[in-house]
């Protein structure tokens, strides 16, 4: 079934001395990062306001003025099944929502997974609030990777958040338990990554692959493994897992790039923290997810030996 979904969002911008004497168009285009198409749509639908009065893009703004826009997003979408499931919400505001993703949970419906994905759970969550909304994932986590994941509440927020997460002042940090410890306590793995020729899923390191950079820092060493923090400096598919395999320190339980483990039934990889400058509030946001119980059990067992 196809649904027409109308999403409304109101965004305000308070003019500072720096923008004093500029135009509404400058605020919308250069500071609120709205596209020409979005601005035209607001002009046609009375979606622009200056000090809560309708305005035009040529109007001049002065310090302490307030520019308000109402974004209307009509989207025809396949119905996403609403699933009543437990969601661990780490952060939410008018623009984004962040969850602590559990193991085994796909991010959105795909293939045989049409129910009980995080997107299905968010659909139900919003319905309970009286909102008909389909959240958009910002980035991905593999089905068996846990931790911080972000969703945007409309397409404009999604665009802005992708820019924010690609900025130099943003970071995404993971922790993993590896079957061996690297020789050095910290460093950067610099190996190109490309798709494996005989698989649509797996990746390999290669000189002709896309340059991929992963910073690592050993947090704890064990006789048969290590707890390592990883920071992605680029964002390739399976980057940490591929780099760990190529670096000789495969992730515990990673059956695609290593071997199965009796101590954990998935790859021991967890997105622990995502930090960024909020594109609307301009505040520094840091969202953290605690270490899941199965990885803590694995660590405890390794410490016994």
């Amino acid at each position: 079934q196809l649904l027409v979904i109308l999403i409304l969002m109101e965004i305000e911008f308070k003019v500072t001395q720096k923008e004093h004497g500029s135009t509404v168009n400058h605020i919308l285009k250069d500071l609120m990062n709205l596209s020409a198409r979005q601005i035209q749509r607001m002009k046609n639908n009375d979606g622009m306001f200056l000090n809560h009065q309708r305005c035009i893009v040529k109007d001049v703004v002065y310090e302490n003025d307030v520019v308000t826009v109402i974004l209307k997003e009509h989207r025809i979408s396949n119905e996403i099944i609403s699933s009543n499931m437990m969601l661990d919400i780490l952060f939410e505001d008018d623009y984004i929502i962040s969850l602590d993703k559990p193991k085994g949970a796909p991010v959105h419906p795909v293939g045989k997974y049409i129910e009980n994905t995080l997107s299905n759970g968010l659909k139900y969550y919003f319905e309970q609030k009286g909102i008909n909304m389909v959240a958009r994932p910002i980035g991905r986590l593999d089905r068996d990777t846990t931790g911080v994941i972000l969703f945007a509440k409309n397409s404009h927020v999604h665009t802005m958040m992708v820019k924010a997460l690609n900025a130099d002042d943003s970071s995404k940090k993971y922790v993993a338990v590896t079957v061996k410890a690297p020789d050095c306590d910290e460093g950067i793995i610099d190996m190109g990554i490309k798709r494996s020729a005989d698989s649509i899923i797996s990746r390999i390191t290669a000189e002709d692959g896309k340059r991929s950079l992963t910073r690592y820092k050993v947090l704890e060493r064990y006789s048969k493994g290590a707890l390592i923090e990883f920071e992605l400096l680029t964002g390739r598919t399976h980057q940490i897992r591929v780099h760990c395999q190529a670096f000789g320190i495969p992730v515990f339980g990673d059956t695609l790039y290593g071997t199965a483990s009796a101590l954990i039934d998935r790859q021991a990889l967890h997105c622990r923290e995502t930090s960024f400058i909020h594109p609307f509030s301009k505040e520094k946001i840091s969202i953290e997810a605690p270490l899941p119980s199965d990885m803590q059990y694995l660590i405890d067992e390794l410490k016994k030996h």
Side-chain angles (χ1 to χ4, degrees), residues 6-258:
L6 172 62
I7 297 175
L8 297 177
M9 179 180 179
E10 183 177 301
I11 305 175
E12 285 191 351
F13 182 92
K14 188 172 183 179
V15 179
T16 68
Q17 186 177 17
K18 185 177 180 180
E19 297 90 33
H20 181 89
S22 63
T23 64
V24 170
N25 188 65
H26 169 69
I27 302 298
L28 300 180
K29 181 181 177 182
D30 298 324
L31 300 177
M32 301 178 85
N33 289 289
L34 297 172
S35 67
R37 184 177 180 181
Q38 287 174 313
I39 294 172
Q40 184 61 47
R41 189 180 300 149
M42 287 186 295
K43 288 165 64 176
N44 295 338
N45 294 282
D46 296 323
M48 299 181 300
F49 300 87
L50 178 58
N51 298 325
H52 309 293
Q53 302 293 322
R54 288 177 183 173
C55 66
I56 60 176
V57 293
K58 294 181 180 179
D59 284 343
V60 176
V61 299
Y62 302 98
E63 186 177 2
N64 294 323
D65 280 352
V66 176
V67 176
T68 306
V69 299
I70 298 177
L71 298 177
K72 297 179 180 180
E73 178 180 313
H74 291 84
R75 183 165 76 250
I76 298 177
S77 173
N78 287 320
E79 174 69 60
I80 290 182
I81 298 171
S82 177
S83 299
N84 182 5
M85 52 192 291
M86 185 71 69
L87 298 177
D88 190 349
I89 298 173
L90 301 172
F91 177 87
E92 183 180 11
D93 63 11
D94 292 337
Y95 310 98
I96 60 175
I97 185 168
S98 176
L99 305 178
D100 185 356
K101 178 187 173 300
K103 69 175 183 178
V107 174
H108 59 87
V110 62
K112 65 181 180 179
Y113 301 105
I114 61 173
E115 296 184 70
N116 299 317
T117 74
L118 297 185
S119 294
N120 297 120
L122 283 172
K123 180 76 183 302
Y124 179 86
Y125 172 75
F126 289 128
E127 284 178 352
Q128 300 311 297
K129 292 174 168 283
I131 303 170
N132 191 354
M133 179 181 292
V134 178
R136 298 165 177 260
I138 311 165
R140 304 288 170 85
L141 290 179
D142 299 331
R143 188 167 66 90
D144 280 327
T145 298
T146 57
V148 180
I149 187 163
L150 297 167
F151 291 81
K153 293 188 175 181
N154 66 40
S155 61
H156 178 59
V157 173
H158 186 274
T159 299
M160 296 290 286
M161 280 299 302
V162 169
K163 291 180 181 179
L165 292 174
N166 285 329
D168 292 339
D169 50 15
S170 70
S171 69
K172 180 177 282 190
K173 295 181 180 179
Y174 293 73
V175 287
V177 183
T178 60
V179 300
K180 290 176 62 179
D183 294 335
C184 299
D185 283 341
E186 55 186 274
I188 293 179
I189 304 173
D190 183 354
M191 298 180 183
I193 292 177
K194 69 177 185 179
R195 179 176 289 175
S196 176
D198 57 357
S199 173
I200 62 172
I201 298 175
S202 65
R203 267 56 175 175
I204 59 173
T205 56
E207 290 186 2
D208 62 342
K210 292 183 179 179
R211 191 180 187 196
S212 306
L213 300 169
T214 306
R215 178 180 286 122
Y216 72 90
K217 180 180 180 180
V218 177
L219 303 179
E220 294 179 355
R221 290 177 178 267
Y222 317 115
S223 61
K224 296 183 178 180
L227 176 65
I228 305 177
E229 176 186 88
F230 294 96
E231 182 177 1
L232 292 179
L233 304 181
T234 55
R236 312 300 177 205
T237 299
H238 299 171
Q239 180 172 315
I240 293 173
R241 299 164 64 189
V242 175
H243 271 174
C244 282
Q245 178 199 42
F247 206 52
I249 53 168
V251 176
F252 254 100
D254 190 345
T255 55
L256 184 60
Y257 298 106

